[in-house]
Amino acid sequence: MGELLYLYGLIPTKEAAAIEPFPSYKGFDGEHSLYPIAFAQVTAVVSKLDADTYSEKVIQEKMEQDMSWLQEKAFHHHETVAALYEEFTIIPLKFCTIYKGEESLQAAIEINKEKIENSLTLLEGNEEWNVKIYCDDTELKKGISETNESVKAKKEEISHLSPGRQFFEKKKIDQLIERELELHKNKVCEEIHDKLKELSLYDSVKKNWSKDVTGAAGQMAWNSVFLLPSLQITKFVTEIEELQQKLENKGWKFEVTGPWPPYHFSSFA
């Protein structure tokens, strides 16, 4: 029987040393507590795991076969990293990042030392925020049907056809409206993203979520994250509130959340 190390995140050693005692959080197994291991300028926040109980094979089986276990442990990881983020500048690690021991962890940190230190410098004083944009397709289609120039031209074109021809051509109008809808949604979202990223250091566009995941009435049209200087947060949120007021009557809705642990703007393998 041996011990493994579950890695939650990497923080600056100077910040870890400034808080005594180190914050007490329960670890992944619910028994051991988190504790810091300092490697020069970088400190790893870890908890111990039994090597047999949490072997790679056992964890893989749990993740594939035990959904309640997966949800519980994933929630624990997220909540713990979020709590650490409130105290420290942190490079958050992905769920179930496990090392065979302190030497293995130290070797990995040494290999990525420059990248880690640069990331911590970048993240200090900055915050990750998420913006999701939703739309009411029915409302937007109505507007496109009435005002879009391509659709209006197509309607004018078929108005001179026989009733029989018009029946089939109207189906093409429906297809045209669908195409114009997607073009319109992308155009609006891209313009909004470009406006918001002027306030950020870095930005990234993520995959949209389905309604099954969001539980929202509208369709998610855009999903983006921004790394923002703390001094820009108020202006960023105000900008989104103004966009909401301007566009909500046209079928658009905005959801801004943060700050989040900077998963999207730091990486450590």
Side-chain angles (χ1 to χ4, degrees):
M1 180 182 296
E3 287 184 331
L4 303 171
L5 292 179
Y6 186 102
L7 180 60
Y8 291 91
L10 302 171
I11 63 179
T13 296
K14 63 180 181 180
E15 292 186 18
I19 298 181
E20 289 288 346
F22 193 82
S24 177
Y25 303 106
K26 280 295 183 183
F28 194 78
D29 62 1
E31 298 178 8
H32 293 89
S33 296
L34 273 66
Y35 66 96
I37 305 176
F39 300 105
Q41 304 304 313
V42 178
T43 289
V45 182
V46 303
S47 67
K48 293 181 179 179
L49 293 177
D50 176 75
D52 293 331
T53 306
Y54 292 93
S55 67
E56 183 177 352
K57 180 181 178 182
V58 170
I59 288 181
Q60 188 64 35
E61 289 176 351
K62 285 283 191 181
M63 292 177 70
E64 293 175 354
Q65 302 172 15
D66 191 341
M67 186 56 64
S68 62
W69 180 92
L70 178 59
Q71 290 175 341
E72 175 192 343
K73 295 303 184 184
F75 183 75
H76 159 81
H77 178 88
H78 169 73
E79 289 292 292
T80 304
V81 170
L84 289 168
Y85 175 61
E86 292 183 3
E87 302 280 353
F88 307 103
T89 303
I90 187 171
I91 295 176
L93 271 295
K94 293 180 180 179
F95 176 63
C96 277
T97 300
I98 299 174
Y99 286 85
K100 292 182 179 180
E102 192 169 317
E103 289 185 5
S104 175
L105 173 56
Q106 182 175 11
I109 290 176
E110 283 297 325
I111 292 172
N112 295 278
K113 180 181 178 181
E114 184 177 354
K115 182 179 181 182
I116 293 169
E117 292 180 354
N118 288 341
S119 291
L120 289 172
T121 299
L122 168 68
L123 297 175
E124 187 174 4
N126 301 311
E127 300 179 0
E128 179 175 312
W129 284 70
N130 173 241
V131 177
K132 294 181 176 66
I133 304 177
Y134 297 88
C135 63
D136 183 338
D137 281 2
T138 301
E139 185 69 23
L140 291 179
K141 283 181 184 178
K142 180 180 177 182
I144 288 172
S145 178
E146 294 172 352
T147 63
N148 182 272
E149 293 300 324
S150 296
V151 174
K152 288 166 66 176
K154 187 65 176 177
K155 286 181 176 180
E156 174 64 21
E157 177 187 325
I158 71 171
S159 65
H160 305 290
L161 301 176
S162 66
R165 288 285 305 279
Q166 284 188 23
F167 175 79
F168 291 104
E169 291 298 319
K170 283 179 180 179
K171 290 186 176 181
K172 292 183 179 180
I173 288 182
D174 293 338
Q175 294 171 352
L176 177 60
I177 291 174
E178 288 289 345
R179 290 196 299 271
E180 292 296 323
L181 171 66
E182 292 305 312
L183 290 172
H184 175 68
K185 286 161 61 173
N186 286 333
K187 182 175 184 293
V188 170
C189 290
E190 286 174 359
E191 289 176 351
I192 291 171
H193 183 91
D194 287 344
K195 187 177 183 64
L196 293 175
K197 77 178 184 181
E198 292 177 2
L199 301 173
S200 70
L201 295 172
Y202 293 96
D203 62 279
S204 180
V205 179
K206 314 307 294 184
K207 182 179 178 181
N208 290 335
W209 297 356
S210 68
K211 286 185 178 181
D212 292 338
V213 176
T214 65
Q219 189 73 40
M220 187 184 292
W222 200 259
N223 183 16
S224 54
V225 288
F226 301 86
L227 186 66
L228 300 165
S230 298
L231 294 176
Q232 294 283 32
I233 303 300
T234 300
K235 187 174 182 180
F236 183 82
V237 174
T238 300
E239 189 77 50
I240 295 170
E241 290 173 347
E242 291 175 354
L243 286 166
Q244 178 69 73
Q245 293 176 0
K246 180 181 178 181
L247 297 174
E248 62 184 346
N249 291 331
K250 298 180 180 180
W252 294 95
K253 181 180 179 181
F254 297 80
E255 179 184 282
V256 55
T257 57
W260 295 101
Y263 284 104
H264 297 95
F265 301 103
S266 61
S267 62
F268 170 72

